[in-house]
Amino acid sequence: MKPPRFDYLLPRSLDEALGILAEHGEEAKVLAGGQSLVPLLNFRLVRPTYLVDLNEIPGLDGLRVEDGRLAIGAMTRQRTVERSALVRERCPLLADAMPQIGHAQIRNRGTVGGSLAHADPAGELPAVAAALGAELVLRSRRGERRLTPEAFFVAYLTTAAEPDELLVEARVPVAPPRTGAAFLEVSRRHGDFAIVGVATTLTVDEGGICTACAVAVTGVGPTPVVAGEAVRALVGVKPDAGAFDEVGRRLASALRPDSDLHASSDYRKHLARVLTRRALARAAERLGGGTTSEERR
Ligand SMILES: Cc1cc2nc3c(=O)[nH]c(=O)nc-3n(C[C@H](O)[C@H](O)[C@H](O)COP(=O)(O)OP(=O)(O)OC[C@H]3O[C@@H](n4cnc5c(N)ncnc54)[C@H](O)[C@@H]3O)c2cc1C
């Protein structure tokens, strides 16, 4: 199928783009990498009057560390993040998750902001953002808002962004020393969306006692699920296999995933438990060092 007719707009500055959205936001769609939007257009699942291409706006991409956070411009290509030494060093969870998004060709065009704004319930980046407690920075002519992932991800393919707002940046906390991270998922074929994916980070003190742990799961609900209660089994103790299994057990018992064509509810819960245990074990092996995408291959 071909997309329905639309007017193509190519703003050359953020201000121009925000002006277009202030006027036409309800009837517009912004185009980032196009890896999700173009199929939606071709299937005529979305029919915008205006397509606002973000690709010529300077300053919307890039990586920098500021105030203890890694700031990722919305138009930063997924492949750029995957290949960044800064990301491997400062945000090993993100580095570990990136190669699991689709295929290299998709990551060459796909952007971090596009993936977060698309809010696919099986996407890797929403789970990473949720595990890390990212700040999602939205801008409009009315001003700026910074949302937590809990506030940003509202439902299946739905975020709290208003029609006149653009996601301009995601700000993730830099990993403290003695942090290990891992992102594990099960998908039917390499490059497919995950059936279930688990994002984990683990931080220990000098004595090896866990001081912080975060787990977020994708593929088990309309938005990423953060294991708030379950990780308490780890904090304050020395990480070991028994504690990892306990976190996985507690997490899975609180999940209520739907069954669908790809997997039953019980199978998703089983995957969440096993992947949580394995991801925490892998994060523990990596304590003190970053992870690399090469390490995964
Ligand atoms: C074959 C295939 C396999 C894939 N596998 C995976 C996978 O395993 N995991 C995964 O997570 N993704 C996967 N994807 C999706 C891919 O990661 C997309 O790149 C991503 O979901 C969307 O990013 P994009 O930059 O292409 O955004 P686009 O497709 O351009 O836009 C997506 C949506 O976000 C909106 N949007 C984009 N940028 C902004 C912004 N800055 N502010 C507000 N709204 C914005 C658009 O209007 C649109 O509604 C796959 C895609 C394909 C084609």
Side-chain angles (χ1 to χ4, degrees):
M1 293 258 290
K2 296 280 181 244
R5 287 183 68 84
F6 51 78
D7 282 355
Y8 174 78
L9 304 174
L10 185 64
R12 307 280 176 172
S13 70
L14 179 58
D15 194 50
E16 193 186 340
L18 295 181
I20 293 169
L21 293 180
E23 200 175 340
H24 300 297
E26 295 280 0
E27 312 119 88
K29 272 278 172 195
V30 298
L31 175 73
Q35 299 302 298
S36 298
L37 183 55
V38 171
L40 289 173
L41 287 168
N42 287 345
F43 283 119
R44 303 196 171 199
L45 293 169
V46 290
R47 295 167 170 267
T49 308
Y50 301 98
L51 192 69
V52 187
D53 188 340
L54 304 180
N55 283 274
E56 292 294 319
I57 299 178
L60 267 187
D61 63 342
L63 297 157
R64 65 180 197 288
V65 173
E66 187 183 87
D67 302 331
R69 289 188 176 247
L70 175 69
I72 308 162
M75 284 299 288
T76 311
R77 305 290 165 189
Q78 294 161 1
R79 194 78 165 146
T80 304
V81 176
E82 178 184 349
R83 290 177 160 172
S84 163
L86 183 70
V87 172
R88 280 199 293 278
E89 186 191 321
R90 301 302 183 95
C91 190
L93 177 60
L94 191 55
D96 207 39
M98 289 323 287
Q100 305 187 54
I101 301 175
H103 303 276
Q105 292 87 341
I106 289 152
R107 301 194 296 274
N108 279 337
R109 289 299 301 166
T111 64
V112 170
S115 182
L116 293 167
H118 188 57
D120 193 295
E124 286 81 2
L125 292 184
V128 169
L132 294 176
E135 265 176 15
L136 301 160
V137 185
L138 295 168
R139 192 90 51 87
S140 71
R141 278 273 166 96
R142 295 174 291 119
E144 185 177 290
R145 298 197 286 157
R146 295 187 175 205
L147 298 188
T148 61
E150 289 74 21
F152 183 75
F153 298 111
V154 171
Y156 177 81
L157 301 181
T158 307
T159 72
E162 298 291 342
D164 65 340
E165 285 181 313
L166 265 187
L167 177 64
V168 291
E169 199 167 80
R171 297 168 57 84
V172 293
V174 164
R178 294 179 298 279
T179 293
F183 191 105
L184 290 185
E185 69 179 42
V186 167
S187 57
R188 290 192 61 176
R189 294 168 305 193
H190 168 71
D192 279 4
F193 273 96
I195 295 174
V196 172
V198 176
T200 57
T201 70
L202 190 64
T203 304
V204 295
D205 65 15
E206 283 172 356
I209 301 294
C210 175
T211 53
C213 171
V215 179
V217 192
T218 189
V220 291
T223 59
V225 174
V226 177
E229 275 298 310
V231 296
R232 296 211 180 146
L234 253 173
V235 177
V237 304
K238 242 187 175 127
D240 64 18
F244 301 149
D245 189 48
E246 181 59 15
V247 175
R249 191 191 64 74
R250 289 189 195 183
L251 166 74
S253 69
L255 296 174
R256 299 285 175 270
D258 287 334
S259 296
D260 63 17
L261 186 68
H262 304 292
S264 67
S265 174
D266 282 348
Y267 183 55
R268 286 183 197 273
K269 287 175 72 160
H270 171 74
L271 286 181
R273 177 175 179 172
V274 172
L275 291 175
T276 297
R277 186 181 74 215
R278 290 184 189 166
L280 285 168
R282 185 168 293 182
E285 283 164 21
R286 292 167 168 175
L287 281 167
T291 54
T292 66
S293 54
E294 286 77 15
E295 207 177 292
R296 281 192 29 75
R297 287 162 196 253

